[in-house]
Amino acid sequence: MPSAFIHFLGAAGTVTGSKYLIDTPNKKFLVDCGLFQGLKELRKHNWDYLPINVSEIDFVLLTHGHLDHVGYLPRLLYQGFKGKIYGSAPTLEIAAIVLKDSAKIQEEEAERANKEGYSKHHPAKPLYTLDDAEKIISRFEPLPIQEWISMSDDIQVQFLPNGHIIGSCFITVKLGEKKLVFSGDVGRTNDLLMPPPHRPKEADVLFIESTYGDRLHPQEDVKARLKEIIMSTIQKGGSLIIPSFAVERTQLLMYLLWQLRKSFEIPEMPFIIDTPMGSDVLNVFKKFSDWHKLSIDECTEMCKMFKIVSDIKESYQVIYSHFPKIVIAGSGMISGGRVLSYLQHYITKPENTLLLVGYQAEGTRGRKILDGVHEIKIYGRYYPIKMKVEILHSLSAHADQSELLDWLKDILLPPEKIFIVHGEKQAAETFLVKLKDTYNWKATVPSLYQIEELHY
Ligand SMILES: [Zn+2]
C-alpha cells in the first residue's frame, strides 16, 4: 500500500496562509498557496523558505483567488518551483488580478516607507514585485469544472463550485481509491450574488475550513441596515469608508448600493471604488456571467454608477474632496492598501463612518478596531479613532457554523481522517466538538508544519 504525506504549511490553527503539500511517491503538489496575514509572527513566514524542496513540487491546485489562498505563489518561484498552477478559469483570472494588486501595493508601500523612513528595514523591500507576479501568472492553466481530470496514473482531481466568490471551488483529489476533499472557503446558502455551494458526497480525508466554526451570522435586513448607516453618515455631512478588497464583498456591496440608489432610498453622491485593479474584477464578472446571479445588463448598469480609482494621485483627489461620499477601498482587514490613506484623513473626524463587512483576522487593524481599541497606527503614526464604527456580519462570504455543518450533510460514511483548518484556535476547536455532536465524527486541528501519513 503506497503512502502519501500531508504537510500543513499554512491555515493550521489560523485563518490565513492556506497551503497543503501532498507528497506521493510519484507526484508532489500543493493545494492553495496563500499568504499569511495579520499577526506579525505569522506574516514573517511569508519571508521564509518553505521547509520542503519546492523545486520538486509538480503542480499547484487553487480553490479560489483570494490572497490568503494564492498570495504566496510568487515566493515559490524564488525557491525554484517549475510546475504549473491549475484552477477554474475565473479563479485564475481573479488570482492574476489579486497577485498584481498585491505586488503593486507592496511596491507602493516599500517606496513610501523608504521615503518617509518609518520602516525598521533599510531599505524596505516588497515581498515581491509586479514582475515576479507576472512570471508566476504565465504558469496558470485553467481546468474544466465538474469533470474528473487525470494528473498522473493514480491522481485525479475534480473542481466543484462552492459559492464563496466567483470561480471558487472545493477540490476532490482521488489518490488511488482514496478521496481527499479540500473544502476551500465555503460560501453561503442564500447569497444575493453567488449560487449555493455544491456539496461533497464522499470523503475519506476531509479538510474543512472553520472561519466561522464557532459563530452564526445575524439574521438581519442587510439592505435596510446599510441604508440606515449611509443616511446617518451623510446627515452629519460625513463619508462612509468600507474596507473591502476588490474581490471580497465589493460586488455584493455594489449591488446593494445600486439597488438602494435605483429605488431612490439613498441620494446621489460619489460612489468610489479605489483599488489598483478594480475594473479588471468587474470585467471578470461580465465575462463569467454563469458563475453569478447578475445578468450582463445588470452588471453593466450597476458598474456605471461607480467611479473606479486606480491611480494613487487620483486617490488623493478623492480624499481631499469635502463632499460626502461612499468609498470601497482595500484591504478588507485594513492590513494595508489604499484604505490606509483614507483612514489617515477620515478616522479622527466623528462625522465619518467606518463599515467593516468581512472577516477580520487576529493581528489586523480591522480586528483591533472590532475589539474596541481607541487608536490605530498607520504608516508609523498613531491616530485616535473618532469616526463611527459599524459592522455588517451578515454580508460575510463565509458559511457560518450551521451552514458548514449543512455543507457536510451528504457525506454518509464518516471520513477516515478529518482536519479542521482555516480557523482560529477557538473557532476550529468549537467546530470539532460540533462535528462530534452532530455526526459523531472525530476530527483534529493540525498545527503548522505538522506532517500526516496517509495510506492509499
Ligand atoms: Zn476566501
Side-chain angles (χ1 to χ4, degrees):
M1 216 185 214
S3 274
F5 293 90
I6 303 161
H7 297 239
F8 293 89
L9 303 173
T14 186
V15 167
T16 62
S18 276
K19 250 179 250 99
Y20 314 106
L21 175 78
I22 313 300
D23 178 354
T24 79
N26 301 323
K27 295 275 176 201
K28 296 183 197 328
F29 59 95
L30 281 176
V31 177
D32 285 339
C33 190
L35 213 59
F36 285 106
Q37 295 166 284
L39 297 171
K40 202 182 259 174
E41 57 266 37
L42 286 176
R43 278 186 286 125
K44 74 177 175 34
H45 291 305
N46 294 331
W47 294 88
D48 294 343
Y49 275 56
L50 290 174
I52 51 170
N53 191 346
V54 171
S55 64
E56 290 177 359
I57 299 175
D58 296 284
F59 57 89
V60 181
L61 305 172
L62 298 179
T63 59
H64 66 292
H66 274 157
L67 194 65
D68 62 327
H69 292 256
V70 307
Y72 189 80
L73 282 171
R75 301 290 298 168
L76 284 191
L77 276 187
Y78 286 104
Q79 296 166 58
F81 174 66
K82 296 182 193 73
K84 289 247 188 304
I85 295 141
Y86 302 106
S88 73
T91 284
L92 295 185
E93 296 214 13
I94 293 290
I97 296 165
V98 165
L99 285 172
K100 284 193 267 181
D101 198 292
S102 160
K104 203 158 171 217
I105 294 283
Q106 288 177 61
E107 287 181 357
E108 279 174 14
E109 284 177 3
E111 197 185 309
R112 183 180 193 139
N114 290 327
K115 212 158 78 192
E116 297 178 12
Y118 58 78
S119 171
K120 288 185 204 87
H121 306 279
H122 301 288
K125 280 195 217 148
L127 187 61
Y128 45 83
T129 63
L130 195 54
D131 192 45
D132 299 330
E134 302 275 6
K135 277 190 195 128
I136 197 82
I137 292 165
S138 69
R139 314 273 191 96
F140 283 8
E141 229 174 85
L143 290 182
I145 57 159
Q146 315 257 2
E147 56 194 73
W148 285 99
I149 299 144
S150 189
M151 308 303 285
S152 75
D153 288 349
D154 62 351
I155 302 174
Q156 290 172 289
V157 300
Q158 184 197 39
F159 291 74
L160 283 172
N162 67 357
H164 171 59
I165 61 164
I166 191 161
S168 75
C169 288
F170 75 88
I171 304 174
T172 306
V173 176
K174 224 197 267 178
L175 251 190
E177 289 309 305
K178 289 253 156 89
K179 279 185 176 161
L180 283 65
V181 172
F182 296 86
S183 72
D185 292 2
V186 180
R188 310 289 304 276
T189 318
N190 289 306
D191 193 85
L192 286 167
L193 290 190
M194 290 294 134
H198 285 244
R199 291 192 295 262
K201 292 195 170 55
E202 284 174 284
D204 296 298
V205 184
L206 174 67
F207 299 74
I208 177 79
E209 70 123 326
S210 57
T211 318
Y212 287 97
D214 59 345
R215 258 164 294 170
L216 297 178
H217 295 312
Q219 300 286 333
E220 59 188 353
D221 182 344
V222 67
K223 216 161 117 187
R225 278 267 289 128
L226 185 61
K227 178 185 166 184
E228 203 181 284
I229 294 166
I230 294 168
M231 293 313 286
S232 73
T233 306
I234 57 172
Q235 271 154 14
K236 289 184 288 183
S239 290
L240 179 64
I241 309 297
I242 313 176
S244 173
F245 185 63
V247 275
E248 279 162 6
R249 296 280 70 191
T250 299
Q251 288 71 37
L252 182 55
L253 280 163
M254 289 172 74
Y255 175 75
L256 290 168
L257 292 169
W258 175 59
Q259 295 272 306
L260 286 170
R261 180 66 201 118
K262 223 169 52 159
S263 52
F264 303 103
E265 289 177 75
I266 56 171
E268 180 83 63
M269 67 184 113
F271 296 93
I272 315 278
I273 294 175
D274 191 332
T275 179
M277 308 288 170
S279 52
D280 297 359
V281 175
L282 299 177
N283 289 335
V284 176
F285 260 71
K286 286 182 194 161
K287 188 166 160 189
F288 297 100
S289 57
D290 47 348
W291 279 82
H292 57 80
K293 294 178 181 172
L294 288 181
S295 70
I296 295 185
D297 288 350
E298 283 176 314
C299 242
T300 312
E301 213 191 305
M302 175 178 98
C303 292
K304 270 194 220 150
M305 195 177 97
F306 293 84
K307 180 176 164 54
I308 311 269
V309 171
S310 46
D311 184 86
I312 196 151
K313 285 193 201 97
E314 233 185 312
S315 293
Y316 279 101
Q317 284 168 8
V318 176
I319 289 169
Y320 292 134
S321 77
H322 293 295
F323 302 106
K325 61 187 99 49
I326 297 178
V327 180
I328 303 173
S331 70
M333 301 191 280
I334 324 179
S335 47
R338 300 278 177 83
V339 75
L340 292 181
S341 304
Y342 284 88
L343 291 185
Q344 277 187 304
H345 293 85
Y346 288 75
I347 202 162
T348 56
K349 301 190 177 88
E351 65 269 29
N352 299 317
T353 305
L354 174 70
L355 174 60
L356 298 172
V357 293
Y359 185 75
Q360 308 294 322
E362 52 187 344
T364 60
R365 291 185 189 86
R367 177 67 157 264
K368 287 177 188 155
I369 294 172
L370 262 189
D371 290 345
V373 296
H374 67 285
E375 57 182 6
I376 55 165
K377 198 176 176 187
I378 302 173
Y379 299 135
R381 265 193 63 192
Y382 281 97
Y383 294 83
I385 304 166
K386 297 271 170 60
M387 74 196 291
K388 194 167 185 338
V389 178
E390 295 273 7
I391 303 136
L392 266 181
H393 285 300
S394 52
L395 274 179
S396 173
H398 282 273
D400 65 10
Q401 187 193 66
S402 79
E403 288 166 316
L404 280 174
L405 288 169
D406 193 61
W407 190 71
L408 298 168
K409 71 180 178 196
D410 294 344
I411 301 177
L412 300 178
L413 290 174
E416 177 187 319
K417 282 179 196 253
I418 302 171
F419 300 109
I420 300 180
V421 293
H422 201 288
E424 286 172 16
K425 215 166 171 273
Q426 191 191 324
E429 280 169 4
T430 307
F431 195 63
L432 181 141
V433 175
K434 210 72 198 170
L435 271 184
K436 175 96 180 96
D437 281 357
T438 315
Y439 297 115
N440 201 21
W441 290 356
K442 214 171 140 257
T444 58
V445 181
S447 51
L448 188 62
Y449 302 135
Q450 186 173 318
I451 302 170
E452 280 283 322
E453 190 174 4
L454 175 74
H455 300 289
Y456 67 98

